[in-house]
Amino acid sequence: MTMILILVAALCALAYLPMTVQPASSLRTLLKTASVAVLALLALLSAAPWLLILALALCAIGDALLSRETDDTFMAGIGAFAAGHLAYIALFLTHPASNAELIFDHPAIFWSLIILGIIMATLLTPRAGDLKIPVLAYIPIILGMGVTVLALPESGALRWALPAALAFIASDLILATEKFLLPKDHPALKLTPYLVWPLYWGAQAGFYFAFS
């Protein structure tokens, strides 16, 4: 059953990939949401930590909301993802193997995330318009996930957690760049959707394998 559901999640994610550039539709929403919702179901069936189940479920809700591509659902989707990141942060810090002192064993990653946050806040502040406050509030939350995952040892299944967190951050960074920083006719926009989705779904799958 586990392998079947993993295959279902992967097939939904693969089927959604070419739809990232298509207009909103019920099928698009279904595939995007199911790609992560099935991972949440898998985590539930495998008796994974409840914080992992919560984080995956919140992100699936965020996917459903963002897939509609309206201003109202965008705001709600950002809120759902922020809550999902907070659940991941709690998961990382409460894991039995977590040790906050390990965070400072990765100074290059730690300071890179801090600098990245400052740069993104500086770039997005004059360009996010009415969404400035939620976008700026989201930055320390997503980067906080990247910092707190450093508290986990890179051994056993947990070795998947760090690359998953970095992939998640990369997907959000590209998404923010295409939505707020690039002109609508920029040639990079032909490529960015096909980077955001694999990075994002790969991150969620990585978290599932790390903690289940």
Side-chain angles (χ1 to χ4, degrees):
M1 176 63 75
T2 297
M3 290 305 300
I4 292 175
L5 289 176
I6 290 174
L7 182 60
V8 169
L11 288 175
C12 286
L14 184 61
Y16 175 75
L17 182 58
M19 301 185 77
T20 57
V21 294
Q22 295 181 11
S25 68
S26 297
L27 178 59
R28 188 172 181 267
T29 296
L30 175 64
L31 289 173
K32 187 175 187 180
T33 306
S35 299
V36 176
V38 173
L39 293 178
L41 175 61
L42 276 164
L44 178 64
L45 294 176
S46 64
W50 70 269
L51 284 168
L52 173 65
I53 300 167
L54 177 62
L56 289 169
L58 286 167
C59 289
I61 293 171
D63 284 327
L65 292 166
L66 291 181
S67 70
R68 306 314 301 171
E69 297 186 350
T70 68
D71 288 343
D72 290 341
T73 57
F74 180 82
M75 289 288 293
I78 287 290
F81 272 108
H85 288 312
L86 291 173
Y88 275 128
I89 290 171
L91 173 65
F92 302 155
L93 295 179
T94 60
H95 191 277
S98 179
N99 180 357
E101 294 181 0
L102 293 176
I103 292 175
F104 302 102
D105 288 347
H106 302 82
I109 298 176
F110 176 84
W111 288 111
S112 293
L113 291 174
I114 299 300
I115 293 170
L116 176 62
I118 294 171
I119 292 173
M120 290 306 295
T122 301
L123 292 175
L124 292 174
T125 296
R127 296 174 174 86
D130 293 340
L131 299 174
K132 178 171 63 177
I133 293 177
V135 167
L136 293 181
Y138 185 82
I139 291 174
I141 294 176
I142 177 67
L143 295 181
M145 185 194 68
V147 169
T148 54
V149 76
L150 299 176
L152 297 171
E154 296 178 68
S155 59
L158 289 176
R159 69 183 183 277
W160 295 105
L162 177 56
L166 295 179
F168 210 146
I169 292 170
S171 71
D172 276 355
L173 177 62
I174 297 171
L175 185 62
T177 299
E178 70 175 11
K179 185 169 182 64
F180 298 111
L181 302 181
L182 294 179
K184 294 187 181 300
D185 59 349
H186 197 285
L189 293 175
K190 296 180 180 180
L191 175 63
T192 52
Y194 301 105
L195 296 176
V196 170
W197 179 248
L199 285 167
Y200 164 73
W201 190 81
Q204 300 287 26
F207 287 140
Y208 166 75
F209 286 114
F211 294 98
S212 294

